[in-house]
Amino acid sequence: MEERYFPQKNEKEILEQWEKNNTFKTYNDSDKPKYYALSMFPYPSGKLHMGHVRNYTITDVIARFKKMNGFNVLHPIGWDSFGLPAENAAMQHGANPAKWTDENIAYMTKQLKMMGLSYDWDREVTTCKPEYYKWTQWLFLQLYKKGLAYKKEAAVNWCEKCGTVLANEQVIDGKCWRCDSVVEKKYLSQWFFKITDYAEQLLKDLDKLEGWGENVKTMQANWIGKSEGAILKFKVVDAPDGKDLEIPVFTTRPDTVHGITYLVVAPEYKDIELLTTPENKEKVEEYRQNARRMTEIERLSTERVKTGVPLGTHCINPYTGETFPLWTADYALAEYGTGAVMAVPAHDTRDFDFAKKYNLPLKVVIQNSENPSDCKDAAYTEEGVLVNSNEFNGMKNTDAKKAITQKAVDNSFGEFKTQYRLRDWLISRQRYWGAPIPVVYCEKCGVQPVKEEDLPVLLPEDVDFSIVGKSPITTSKTFKETTCPVCGGKAVRETDTMDTFVCSSWYYMRYADARNKEKCFDKDLANKWLPVDQYVGGIEHAILHLLYSRFFTKALKDLGLIDFDEPFKNLLTQGMVLKDGSKMSKSKGNTVDPDEIFQNYGADTARLFILSDSPPARDFDWSDAGVEGCYKFINRVWRLVSDNFKYINVNYSIPENLSKDNDTLLRNVHIAIKGITNDISNDFQFNTVISKYRELTNAIYDRLSKNFEGTEEDKNVFSFAVLMLIKLMSPVTVFMAEKIWQELGYKTSIHDEKWPEWDENLAKSAGITLVVQINGKVRDKIEVQNGLSQDELKEMALNSPKVKEQIAGKEVVKTIVVPQKLVNIVVK
RNA sequence: GCUCUAGUGGUGGAAUCGGUAGACACGUUGGACUUAAAAUCCAAUCGGGUGAAUAACUCGGUGCCAGUUCAAGUCUGGCCUGGAGCACCA
């Protein structure tokens, strides 16, 4: 055995063996229980970054641990390979997006293999390949048939720089999630998925997801944004052309209805022209133009003073008979509720600000009886009792909500209503590098889905990427013109492609049956492997990918394609990889290239280090010294074996009645097995797992340095300790463990070994340190043997000379004995 | 503003049930080995105080203020600070 460990040479050699022996292939038929471990699949951007390394290492260790614990583990990988960067590369360097993507995948595949990840490469999926996107298109057609995919004209988010529309979820602070440029509003006809049909289920089923972090669940709940309230309708009394018009509003505060002093409609409100008097027309029109020109950022700014203009018309309040004016103001949002708001300045801070600016009246209808407010300086938004509200006076406002809405229901001017903030998912993209939306437009038959047997609708290759301002796909001469699947007449293809998040909303199901040419996947296989037992990825997908995937799962279940209704049972959101306290990024120039680490220290060091310093969910600060430390530790373990090779007997047996030193080591091994197993099982605390590797290593070295004579007993216990250490480390330092295993003469892989078990009686030290406290302060520590009775412990504590000295002349009030731990003597 | 999350040495972080605060490392300092260096090994390392002392002892200490308890990093109430998400959502 070599004196030093040479990662570069050994890792390469071992990789070749694993590949040859198919060590990590997953078979569908197995008697073992299944376990599905999954990392969020990467975008093939060119090279792995440290975030990838962290993500894949965490999942890999979980997969290997579960495999050693007797599970049939599915641990696949693939490529989220559609998307803009490939297209941008094509535009900038004249490269073909497919070629660019393929080259990146090839390089990153090499890197992933170098990391020693236990993937079943036979299940690799690549979303940009026709054999995959055929099924993305097929699923689109199923959703279309169910009415869950539809086209509508709407105000949508437009990113000029990316030349495409974006989903709501992809607009961050009014900016594009990808390129950070300001998003504009455009009115376009676009394809949507009806995710809002599932708003309630998506919200309710969050409760089922016990293995998800509270942060992710609340983020999703906030995004879905459920509000219970009422729709109340108000008749317009003086519409300019004498029409009978009604304005419905959504409110969560029907209890304040008697306090309405005006009503606001959004500038984009559909009937606004019918509600405007001729005298006000010009001003209203001007205001609407302005509102339209404003960017989301300007409009959403809470700093901005509220503005608006009166329409000149009025409504009547059916509860009071009072009339009140109509205004338009951009603090009312067209897309939420009905686009109209009843304004109660006394009890809503926004209405209060607006009323104050335009000198609109306010009317108090809720009072706190102990501390009444006239609402002159601020709106009163707390709970209270109704006043100035006719028959509802004296009622608690929480009760009044229901009673007042009920009155509207009884008199047909309102209803109970649950409102969600979630909007439908806009999936059209005016880009080339995505799955074409499989529909055609026929002059006679209108919108028609492509026939399933004609899938996939292939991306054309005769496209020109140099033309700016339109989707490259529209430059194809062959793509657009086609025939109608119904009448056979002339038709044109949809040139929009699907949001890449559609592709990634079902890839984890495809892994169950990745090579199926007849179906998107076999139902039984999907039901067998899913849901994913452990999903690992970045928090940045807390809403986007994770919400879309949940929607897909529910929709696919309703389509009868699967039997489960949540895709990911447990979710681990790993923290970021930082360098010098801030996120690694090219622009900051603080990146560390994984290749360099693999070259200089080997993949084992990278794996060990990235798990060692922080728990997985927390941010991790990369330090060169830390890498160095891990590399040293790997060599320390290697030397432990190589320097003491002569003492190792793989067919060891542990005799009874060990010497004290050997007994201590034996116990330390059992303590380590127990601790490491628990740490992995309990939230994957890999940082403490690695400290326990070090503790055990230290304990074994300790044994060697004291009275180690190389007797049969010494050798047997030492052998046991070393072999267990290597096994415990094998999910993390995968190459070194395998190499040592081979050096010890094994012909099979250590990665097919069973996880070690511990003996509960041995997983504790032979004696305990009894802590003796007086009034809760530590005063003495006594080494005692295990298993003494409470009285014996108490006796020993009271006999301690230090204790005697301290309690002399005082009265012992009480003595508390904690078995196996401490005695606390309370004195006065 | 609302929601979630965290706060422990010089640093990363440990600490099942409330029971020795600071495991394991990094860093630093000193030492051994060496002609020298690297590598390796050993020791010290929360702060204050008493002591000639690397002896012995003692007090304080887990963001702040209270409380519960024999005992609080851990439980309860109130605050402060950082991070994240949402945000004129009626």
Side-chain angles (χ1 to χ4, degrees), chain A residues 546-595:
Chain A
L546 292 168
L547 189 65
Y548 294 148
S549 295
R550 294 183 61 224
F551 158 66
F552 247 71
T553 303
K554 292 179 189 306
L556 264 50
K557 188 189 176 208
D558 289 347
L559 286 165
L561 294 170
I562 48 175
D563 289 338
F564 48 94
D565 61 359
E566 282 291 340
F568 314 120
K569 218 165 147 186
N570 296 290
L571 173 71
L572 174 61
T573 48
Q574 105 230 12
M576 288 185 299
V577 181
L578 311 177
K579 177 85 197 290
D580 311 320
S582 57
K583 190 181 178 179
M584 277 194 190
S585 75
K586 277 180 205 146
S587 58
K588 285 201 192 85
N590 62 346
T591 54
V592 177
D593 185 357
D595 276 342

Side-chain angles (χ1 to χ4, degrees), chain A residues 486-716:
Chain A
V486 177
C487 72
K490 258 190 160 184
V492 291
R493 283 192 193 282
E494 171 63 78
T495 53
D496 284 355
T497 53
M498 283 185 250
D499 181 3
T500 55
F501 281 97
V502 178
C503 306
S504 58
S505 289
W506 73 282
Y507 78 102
Y508 48 90
M509 302 186 199
R510 179 72 178 172
Y511 284 136
D513 193 15
R515 297 280 95 79
N516 196 327
K517 289 195 171 123
E518 312 300 321
K519 290 188 263 184
C520 54
F521 46 76
D522 178 78
K523 185 175 179 179
D524 291 338
L525 283 175
N527 286 336
K528 172 193 163 71
W529 284 111
L530 287 124
V532 172
D533 292 280
Q534 185 63 56
Y535 201 25
V536 184
I539 186 80
E540 66 274 15
H541 289 294
I543 292 171
L544 290 157
H545 163 60
L546 292 168
L547 189 65
Y548 294 148
S549 295
R550 294 183 61 224
F551 158 66
F552 247 71
T553 303
K554 292 179 189 306
L556 264 50
K557 188 189 176 208
D558 289 347
L559 286 165
L561 294 170
I562 48 175
D563 289 338
F564 48 94
D565 61 359
E566 282 291 340
F568 314 120
K569 218 165 147 186
N570 296 290
L571 173 71
L572 174 61
T573 48
Q574 105 230 12
M576 288 185 299
V577 181
L578 311 177
K579 177 85 197 290
D580 311 320
S582 57
K583 190 181 178 179
M584 277 194 190
S585 75
K586 277 180 205 146
S587 58
K588 285 201 192 85
N590 62 346
T591 54
V592 177
D593 185 357
D595 276 342
E596 262 177 51
I597 306 298
F598 300 156
Q599 283 302 317
N600 297 336
Y601 301 98
D604 278 342
T605 300
R607 295 171 60 109
L608 183 70
F609 176 54
I610 206 125
L611 296 176
S612 66
D613 264 11
S614 297
R618 245 190 266 183
D619 286 350
F620 175 87
D621 211 337
W622 184 273
S623 82
D624 297 336
V627 179
E628 199 71 45
C630 284
Y631 184 62
K632 284 181 188 172
F633 176 59
I634 285 178
N635 275 293
R636 184 166 148 86
V637 174
W638 179 266
R639 281 195 314 274
L640 179 64
V641 180
S642 64
D643 291 354
N644 302 289
F645 203 71
K646 59 178 179 294
Y647 299 127
I648 299 177
N649 169 13
V650 295
N651 299 312
Y652 61 84
S653 69
I654 307 293
E656 303 276 316
N657 301 320
L658 296 172
S659 71
K660 193 161 169 280
D661 290 324
N662 284 334
D663 182 65
T664 302
L665 179 58
L666 181 75
R667 286 173 186 277
N668 279 329
V669 176
H670 282 275
I671 288 168
I673 297 172
K674 181 180 176 180
I676 289 167
T677 309
N678 287 343
D679 284 356
I680 300 179
S681 309
N682 173 25
D683 281 340
F684 310 115
Q685 295 177 49
F686 295 119
N687 55 328
T688 54
V689 168
I690 287 159
S691 347
K692 281 164 188 151
Y693 292 161
R694 291 176 184 272
E695 280 174 5
L696 180 56
T697 307
N698 291 345
I700 300 173
Y701 269 111
D702 223 40
R703 174 71 196 91
L704 287 171
S705 69
K706 274 189 294 186
N707 314 318
F708 190 86
E709 288 158 2
T711 63
E712 280 311 302
E713 182 188 306
D714 287 352
K715 281 194 207 166
N716 276 315

Side-chain angles (χ1 to χ4, degrees), chain A residues 294-538:
Chain A
M294 239 180 288
T295 65
E296 279 292 282
I297 294 185
E298 287 168 327
R299 187 166 163 176
L300 290 179
S301 164
T302 41
E303 301 296 302
R304 205 163 67 86
V305 180
K306 290 183 177 44
T307 60
V309 290
L311 301 179
T313 50
H314 298 78
C315 277
I316 184 161
N317 186 337
Y319 289 89
T320 61
E322 296 164 343
T323 57
F324 50 80
L326 293 181
W327 285 64
T328 184
D330 62 6
Y331 82 89
L333 305 174
E335 320 87 70
Y336 184 74
T338 64
V341 190
M342 61 179 229
V344 184
H347 304 296
D348 182 279
T349 51
R350 294 152 304 181
D351 298 342
F352 181 89
D353 293 345
F354 190 80
K356 197 144 199 183
K357 175 163 179 198
Y358 292 104
N359 279 319
L360 293 160
L362 62 77
K363 182 180 167 193
V364 176
V365 291
I366 310 272
Q367 275 293 15
N368 176 340
S369 44
E370 282 153 35
N371 186 17
S373 158
D374 58 8
C375 303
K376 286 270 175 343
D377 300 318
Y380 179 74
T381 56
E382 310 288 304
E383 313 280 275
V385 169
L386 269 67
V387 294
N388 297 323
S389 300
N390 300 335
E391 72 264 37
F392 301 101
N393 281 342
M395 200 181 263
K396 270 175 68 185
N397 77 309
T398 41
D399 301 331
K401 284 183 183 181
K402 209 179 154 198
I404 286 175
T405 309
Q406 191 57 49
K407 182 173 174 183
V409 173
D410 295 344
N411 294 284
S412 312
F413 57 81
E415 57 187 308
F416 288 94
K417 170 79 177 172
T418 303
Q419 183 72 43
Y420 300 90
R421 278 163 48 187
L422 184 69
R423 310 284 152 81
D424 276 339
W425 174 13
L426 197 173
I427 58 146
S428 294
R429 293 294 178 275
Q430 289 71 50
R431 301 307 320 170
Y432 168 78
W433 196 232
I437 295 175
V439 298
V440 302
Y441 302 96
C442 170
E443 286 168 20
K444 271 192 274 177
C445 312
V447 181
Q448 288 300 333
V450 172
K451 281 188 185 159
E452 290 182 12
E453 57 264 36
D454 293 337
L455 296 179
V457 175
L458 288 170
L459 279 170
E461 287 177 24
D462 58 335
V463 292
D464 185 350
F465 290 100
S466 63
I467 299 172
V468 186
K470 62 195 247 182
S471 169
I473 204 168
T474 59
T475 65
S476 166
K477 295 199 173 61
T478 55
F479 184 74
K480 215 171 168 184
E481 282 174 26
T482 183
T483 52
C484 172
V486 177
C487 72
K490 258 190 160 184
V492 291
R493 283 192 193 282
E494 171 63 78
T495 53
D496 284 355
T497 53
M498 283 185 250
D499 181 3
T500 55
F501 281 97
V502 178
C503 306
S504 58
S505 289
W506 73 282
Y507 78 102
Y508 48 90
M509 302 186 199
R510 179 72 178 172
Y511 284 136
D513 193 15
R515 297 280 95 79
N516 196 327
K517 289 195 171 123
E518 312 300 321
K519 290 188 263 184
C520 54
F521 46 76
D522 178 78
K523 185 175 179 179
D524 291 338
L525 283 175
N527 286 336
K528 172 193 163 71
W529 284 111
L530 287 124
V532 172
D533 292 280
Q534 185 63 56
Y535 201 25
V536 184

Side-chain angles (χ1 to χ4, degrees), chain A residues 106 134 146 198-200 259 388 425 507 619 781:
Chain A
K134 173 181 180 177
K146 258 251 166 180
Y198 288 87
E200 183 59 33
N388 297 323
W425 174 13
Y507 78 102
D619 286 350
K781 295 172 191 177

